[in-house]
Amino acid sequence: MSSVSYYISNLLEKMTSTDKDFRFMATNDLMLELQKDSIKLDEDSERKVVTMLLKLLEDKNGEVQNLAVKCLAPLVSKVKEPQVEVMVDTLCSNMTSDKEPLRDISSMGLKTVIAELPLTSTGLTLTVGVCKKITSQLIGAMGKQEDVSVQLEALDILSDMLGRLGGALVSFHSALLSSLLPQLTSSRMAVRKRSILALGHLVPCCSPALFSQLTEHLTNELAKAPPVSMARTYIQCLATVSRQGGHRVGEHLEKLIPMVLKFTDVEDDELREYCFQAFEAFIRSCPKEMSPHVSTVTKLCLKFMTFDPNYNYDDEEEEEDSMDVEEGLEEESDDEYSDDDDMSWKVRRSSIKCLESLIATRRDLLLSFFSSVCPALLARFKEREENVRADVFSAFSSLLRQTRGGTSLQGNVRPGGEEPALTLLRTQVPLIVKALHRQLKEKSIRSRQGCFSLLSELSHTAPGALETHIPALIPGIVFSLTDRSSSSTMRIDALSFLHVLLLSHPPEAFQPHMQVLLPPVVSCVEDSFYKITSEALLVVLQLVRVMRPQGPSAGGGFDPKPFVREVFSVTLKRLKATDIDQEVKERAISCMGHMVCHLGDHLGAELQGVLAIFLERLKNEITRLTAVRTLTLISASPLKIDLSSILPETLSVLGSFLRKNERVLKLGTLACLTSIITHQAANIKPAALEPVLSELPGLVDESDMHVSQVSVSLLSVMARSCPSSLSTISLSVLPCVFRLVLSPLLQGAALSSILDLLQALVLSNTSNLGYSQLLKSLTDPFHLPSSSSSSSSSPLIHRQSYLSVSRCVAALSSSCPKETPSTVNGLLQEVKNPGSPESARVLALLCLGEVGRSGSLGASKEVQGVILEAISSTNEEVRTAASCALGSMAVGSLSDYLPFLLTEISTQPRRQYLLLNSLKEVISACAASSLSPHVESIWSLLFQHCEYPEEGTRNLVAECLGKLTLVNAAQLLPRLKQQLRAGSPLARSMVVTAVKFTIVDHPAPIDALLKDCIGDFLQTLQDDDLNVRRVSLVMFNSAAHNKPSLIRGLLATVLPHLYRETQIRKDLIREVEMGPFKHTVDDGLDVRKAAFECMYTLLDSCMEGLDVLLFLDHVEEGLKDHYDIRMLTFLMLARLASLCPAAVLQRLDRLIEPLKATCTTKVKAGSVKQEFEKQEELRRSAMRAVAALLAVPEVERSPSMADFANQIRTNADMASIYQSVQGGEGGGIGPAESMDMS
């Protein structure tokens, strides 16, 4: 401690030296010392350091002064409050000094101190105290009219302070506003501008009353018809206030809009510019409140975007269709008109930016924009002022992005059709190309870049739309690539656009132009700048595909031979080079790989040299992944490239990659090996695969299902192509495969790959991998004797494992039909044998079902008897397995089993649920054509059970009805609709549930019919019966989740009924006496829960159809509801904070209270453990919502949010919950909260 004091006092002594170098070095050493976290200063040292640094601010040497300012930053956190106040007092008094250099350096010092003031709760008192001192002095300094430079510095510092510490200055907001407003009338423009800036920083954190006072002041001043220069200031201020105040300006819009509109008629270009900036701020801050004024503002923008009184465009329009002649002369004529005093371009630019904000915020008006805004923007592509033209391109690109966004939002809106906006866009393409293609050859680089950017956006939005216009675009591309005056950025942009064009259009469109396109691209590959080379190699790769396309689009009319040598030599040069950029290396490998794949037969003797280079690149850690992908491509080439020269070494290297931890490399290597073994099996010796096989056991594991699936697929390929290499797998990798079969995680593609492997192994006739050995390995784990009771062994084998093994047994059986009878016989004996373990009987039943699914059992009376007996078993697992087996057998042999099944359902009421389960399996799995003859009998049987008292059975009947309707929707959907009117509440709820099962998550023929009549089914939202309304909400939720296109058009009529169901109804709350206690039961809770679940789903699927503020009103109610509903609304709030932060900020003050209440509620002492757990989970969920809100930019400028955030920081309990939510789950919604709404 003393040593630090001694060292510091030494430095302070040197700072008083007459030698400026001593002073500089001592100050520098002090700064380094202060930056150390470990340094602790005693009170005396603090005082001396502060005094000395403040003295050095007046040093004659500028460098010493600057270092002294830098020392202030770390010093703020190292000294106590009194010393910080001394620093601030001195700096503020220096601010008003007569010496200008001292004023400047003190101003910098104050800004440094402000930037370092702590925001944490511990340092908040210091921050507030310092801010008060600075503010009171600055307000005084602003009042000094005699010295403008003091005013400017004071305003500057005030802006900094309000921007960073606005919340700490709440008590000064009113005084600040009073001192800032008079500055708006200052005679100096700089003072007015900085005052506007400071007001902009004040707005987000001030109270609503102050905000109203500020807007009223501005409206009153504007109403007095001030001089033009003052009107400019007020409207500019209004625009800044709107940008910063966001939604709060909404309630004042009705007064502001007419006023701003009036000023657009004043003949002053800058004033008009500020008016349009104000409109843009209004549109972006409060799009909903602007809705009534959108058409007025649009008309105004369209009028002023052509406002160019000093220039006549008529001559250009006449020449529009003529050839590109005398371009140089046109350029010169432009210059004649450019007048330094002409400010009209500012009006045009601001009106176009305003239009762009409209396009960006009002996707709902997209179709009307195509009729009104699109032609106007196209007409402005000829704009003479480069800055304005760039904004025209930007606005049009925004229109294209909205069109693309609209189409991607709804996957299945128009099966077989196209979005209307996209159709309208395609009609405009000729006009776009006509307006742009001449500009692609202009001298202006910025214009050309704008054109390329816009055309790229167009290609992404409407792929293929430019196909007929490629001849018109190619001269412009070639011009930018060959123009000597073009910058490297210009050439990169041209290459990038050409790449997008090649990707989004068919190869045939480019083949006629190869002669023109190839030379400039090849010269770019040889460019010295690596970024140009890299981009050019991507283009060459696509051009190789154009020369000889593969796949369905391959056409044989184009001869690539004249171009191969040129492309090959330039790519080979880049491929061989080792001293080049990593990106160029990788793209050279990819490009040459495509060349070998598409044009390998043209390379002759040089092919082997290229393959040798690929092998070298495969051994290099930097390029190995790209080399693996390239070899995958080449090995699968239709040209059957001979890889025998590099195969043995390649397989050895690839085998070593399977040991690496890099997952992407593992997957790439497995894909490469699969491709090589599939296409090059004749050149592979069994011993060459040893390095690969030895690594596979470690990859087949449930910890990574995708890697396991690809590994098993590789084994299947080996079994088919190189069966002799698999002689040892029964001891190595096969046990891992059988372990994987028993994994509860196994399903889908991974299971299919194992079925494929088992079939391949049986057919490969490899010794010790025959049918019986494989069957034994699969079923043995289920025959292990149970140690005590059957239940004790059940956790060992998961239910999914039974299904997986039964699928595997069926796959083996289908590969060896001659073995099937004996297998079936063995399975039947297993089921009949009362001494068999339960697990073996359940498996045997499921295996019978899966084997029967292929139709190989026929109408065996023995099988039917065994199944019926099992369905009557006392063991529930056996009964369920028998039910599944019966359904599967019926799928395989419909005519034999379905009549039997229907008879049993009619005559056996006790087994009804299990038999209906079998019927559900039949309806789900059978093809529509085979079910059609039986539809009537099934339909009438199901409707006999539609009013069954047991809800589980009714739901099963509903699922069967829904899936049966899919078989013949045109006939059965209207009949469902009739039942809606005819039946009792139970029947109605069953019909609505059935409709839920007709809504599947992939395109289906029923979609068009459903879209027409789903409105009738949703009328049940107004049903008198509570349960019918609940199932109707569940059905609506399913539609919103799986097929949002069905209900998007109905939102306006459905949402009021949905919102009504979110209300707590007192008439549904009753008290139940339970002995001495009274218990409250809310019969409306389930319906409310269903309604809130619908709202949550709509956020993901139909956001654009929601009035977010109205939606938030109901979310706010839900925040005070039951536990389950609150959990849901916390999730919604977090989602809304990321989707539409502006609207959430608008309602923030009302949303904070219920969140605060949840986070601060304590459970009563003596409550049960579950109550504590529930409350804890509620608090964590609420805190996740708070974390999502705090992630919204500028949210802490809301006083209530800043206060709550401060409360969280200062309360240890809440702070720890917040930290765990932030740290453990990334501050967002944890995985536990994700909801399955299907």
Side-chain angles (χ1 to χ4, degrees), residues 1087-1208:
V1087 180
R1088 285 206 308 286
K1089 218 155 99 181
F1092 278 105
E1093 282 172 2
C1094 289
M1095 286 171 65
Y1096 181 84
T1097 306
L1098 288 173
L1099 279 184
D1100 274 336
S1101 56
C1102 303
M1103 184 71 200
E1104 68 281 6
L1106 301 176
D1107 175 342
V1108 179
L1109 293 174
L1110 181 60
F1111 188 93
L1112 271 165
D1113 289 341
H1114 296 282
V1115 170
E1116 186 191 336
E1117 292 302 312
L1119 291 170
K1120 305 164 194 164
D1121 207 320
H1122 182 268
Y1123 166 83
D1124 291 336
I1125 290 169
R1126 272 195 283 171
M1127 292 291 277
L1128 257 176
T1129 47
F1130 293 147
L1131 279 172
M1132 280 192 248
L1133 197 52
R1135 192 93 185 81
L1136 283 160
S1138 66
L1139 288 173
C1140 41
V1144 172
L1145 288 176
Q1146 206 162 336
R1147 287 277 189 276
L1148 194 58
D1149 293 343
R1150 282 157 50 179
L1151 297 167
I1152 290 297
E1153 285 313 309
L1155 283 171
K1156 198 187 282 188
T1158 303
C1159 288
T1160 52
T1161 302
K1162 293 266 194 316
V1163 182
K1164 289 177 191 168
S1167 297
V1168 292
K1169 183 186 172 193
Q1170 285 89 331
E1171 279 299 314
F1172 282 102
E1173 286 172 355
K1174 269 172 92 170
Q1175 183 58 33
E1176 189 59 27
E1177 196 44 55
L1178 259 183
R1179 291 176 75 194
R1180 288 179 67 78
S1181 207
M1183 203 58 89
R1184 282 190 194 96
V1186 173
L1189 288 173
L1190 287 171
V1192 175
E1194 301 178 358
V1195 73
E1196 283 208 45
R1197 289 185 174 183
S1198 150
S1200 56
M1201 189 71 201
D1203 179 51
F1204 185 33
N1206 189 31
Q1207 191 179 341
I1208 291 171

Side-chain angles (χ1 to χ4, degrees), residues 327-342:
E327 252 174 60
L329 295 175
E330 281 183 27
E331 292 273 342
E332 285 167 28
S333 66
D334 278 5
D335 293 341
E336 288 172 27
Y337 287 99
S338 68
D339 184 354
D340 290 341
D341 300 328
D342 178 18

